[in-house]
Amino acid sequence: MMLERGCTNDDAELFDRMFDQHRNVVFSFLFGRCGDRELAKDLLQETFLRVWRNIALASKVEDERRRFWITAIAKNVLIDDKRRRAVRPAAQSQAACQDIADERQPLDSKVESKDAFVQIDKGIRELPAELRTVLVLSAMEGLNSKEIGAMLGIPAGTVRYRLSEARNQLAERIGRI
Amino acid sequence: MKEDNKIDQKFRDRQPLDQLFLAWRDNARLSEQEAMFIKEAILVAGPQQELSSMWWRQCLSAGLDKLSCVSKNQWFEWTAQSFEAARLVRP
């Protein structure tokens, strides 16, 4: 493993552990916020790059607080990305993912057609970010309303309301209730 | 939580949507391969304080075909050279 100047093997091990432990939930958070899987991958990478560059600081953060510490970094990454796009709207990563579903593996034909899958993908992307974020964190990571609330800094009751609203709106958008 | 379960049950009652949603969810998750690739790019980009890891990922991607025929260190070196070349033509 290549180590940054001043980094120790302990730092590298801590980074490995943090990446493996938190990557999925941070990815889901970023995906929920931006609604774009490819962009979320780039933002995840940028988030953990900042974690790596601040690994000395990370070692001082208590284990149970690390998810929130990384989420705070991810929020800054999202803000920076938004600013960059405001200056340069034709950002490269946005154009690469107009049809996310096409690039990924085909689904089981017994469950649904590709058209239906694209439809649900589009429906989720079109949800307001605040609804999509709780839906993705709940569905992809299995977090409960209290955990999502702690991560987003909102009450658990608000999470439950948004989750219910997200599901209702998604059902309406794809025309299946 | 009890409240979460109530919402889940309500959602499960909509069977067609639920099945589609689960399929979408499984497909949208970050794969192991994607995660490993991102981690490698971060570790390579880490020392380059002024440069974005996204650029590294593009270079890593371009260098993947060489990975099987060279050592990891040689691969990193080759990728670093590719990265330098890419940086020079960066718009």
Side-chain angles (χ1 to χ4, degrees), chain A residues 4-117:
Chain A
E4 189 174 351
R5 252 182 250 108
C7 286
T8 65
N9 279 327
D10 285 349
D11 290 336
E13 279 170 27
L14 175 62
F15 177 78
D16 260 4
R17 204 167 60 243
M18 286 175 72
F19 184 83
D20 291 342
Q21 196 175 348
H22 301 292
R23 70 188 189 206
N24 289 335
V25 75
V26 176
F27 172 73
S28 296
F29 167 74
L30 290 165
F31 185 25
R33 287 291 297 270
C34 73
D36 180 327
R37 191 177 184 278
E38 291 305 305
L39 177 59
K41 274 165 60 181
D42 285 342
L43 298 178
L44 176 74
Q45 186 165 297
E46 202 60 36
T47 299
F48 274 96
L49 181 66
R50 292 186 191 186
V51 169
W52 176 230
R53 287 175 175 167
N54 290 285
I55 198 70
L57 195 58
S59 63
K60 292 173 188 157
V61 179
E62 292 169 21
D63 263 357
E64 62 271 24
R65 300 291 310 162
R66 283 196 183 125
R67 178 192 285 175
F68 305 114
W69 185 72
I70 301 171
T71 305
I73 293 174
K75 285 175 183 171
N76 286 334
V77 167
L78 278 161
I79 291 167
D80 290 347
D81 181 69
K82 202 172 175 182
R83 282 189 189 136
R84 243 189 336 261
R85 279 166 201 285
V87 175
R88 197 175 53 177
Q92 56 210 49
S93 50
Q94 200 170 21
C97 45
Q98 286 302 306
D99 194 350
I100 301 166
D102 277 352
E103 296 173 5
R104 282 176 274 144
Q105 59 190 3
L107 296 166
D108 188 342
S109 58
K110 283 185 290 186
V111 181
E112 67 282 299
S113 69
K114 189 179 170 189
D115 282 351
F117 178 76

Side-chain angles (χ1 to χ4, degrees), chain A residues 120 167 171 174 176, chain B residues 11 14-21:
Chain A
I120 197 165
R167 287 166 169 177
I174 68 170
R176 289 165 183 264
Chain B
F11 196 51
R14 298 170 182 151
Q15 199 58 26
L17 171 62
D18 193 31
Q19 284 187 356
L20 274 175
F21 187 77

Side-chain angles (χ1 to χ4, degrees), chain A residues 4 16 20 23 37 41-42 45-46 53 104-105 112 117 121 139-140 144-145 160 167-168 174, chain B residues 3-4 7-8 14 17 20-21 24-25 27-29 32 34-35 39 45-46 48-49 53 57:
Chain A
E4 189 174 351
D16 260 4
D20 291 342
R23 70 188 189 206
R37 191 177 184 278
K41 274 165 60 181
D42 285 342
Q45 186 165 297
E46 202 60 36
R53 287 175 175 167
R104 282 176 274 144
Q105 59 190 3
E112 67 282 299
F117 178 76
D121 201 53
M140 284 171 70
N144 65 36
S145 55
R160 287 192 291 276
R167 287 166 169 177
N168 285 335
I174 68 170
Chain B
E3 292 89 344
D4 289 318
I7 294 172
D8 283 344
R14 298 170 182 151
L17 171 62
L20 274 175
F21 187 77
W24 172 87
R25 179 196 68 182
N27 209 46
R29 280 182 169 143
E32 281 295 313
E34 286 171 325
K39 186 154 71 173
Q48 313 293 326
Q49 287 288 347
S53 61
R57 192 146 64 116

